[in-house]
Amino acid sequence: MPFTVTGAFDDGATYSVQITGRADRPVIGSNRATALVELHQGRPVFLSPTGPVRAVAGDDEATVLAVLREHTHVVEEGAGAPRQARVPG
């Protein structure tokens, strides 16, 4: 189920994208966020701070979101976003 993610890159540029769950177009709405996800396709990513690790795939919404969480500051995740385990602390 597609959902929206809003965030910012380290340089302060903001983005709002829709994560589609489609292998051919996993992210819609920001060329920069799309390029980021494409760059990490097939690479391992932690789904949460404590794991598990999976390879990034365009049709895997959880791994696409994990790339955005790891490389940008995610501010808001819309309804339908995969949940992330929280580390107590």
Side-chain angles (χ1 to χ4, degrees), residues 23-86:
D24 64 328
R25 194 161 182 201
V27 177
I28 297 173
S30 164
N31 290 336
R32 194 168 170 188
T34 299
L36 178 67
V37 171
E38 288 175 359
L39 178 68
H40 289 88
Q41 291 259 2
R43 295 183 181 177
V45 66
F46 281 91
L47 296 183
S48 74
T50 59
V53 176
R54 285 205 312 236
V56 177
D59 59 351
D60 185 345
E61 295 170 343
T63 62
V64 172
L65 179 57
V67 166
L68 294 175
R69 285 178 179 153
E70 184 174 321
H71 297 283
T72 71
H73 176 68
V74 173
V75 177
E76 184 177 359
E77 301 166 14
R83 298 198 59 143
Q84 175 178 329
R86 302 288 181 207

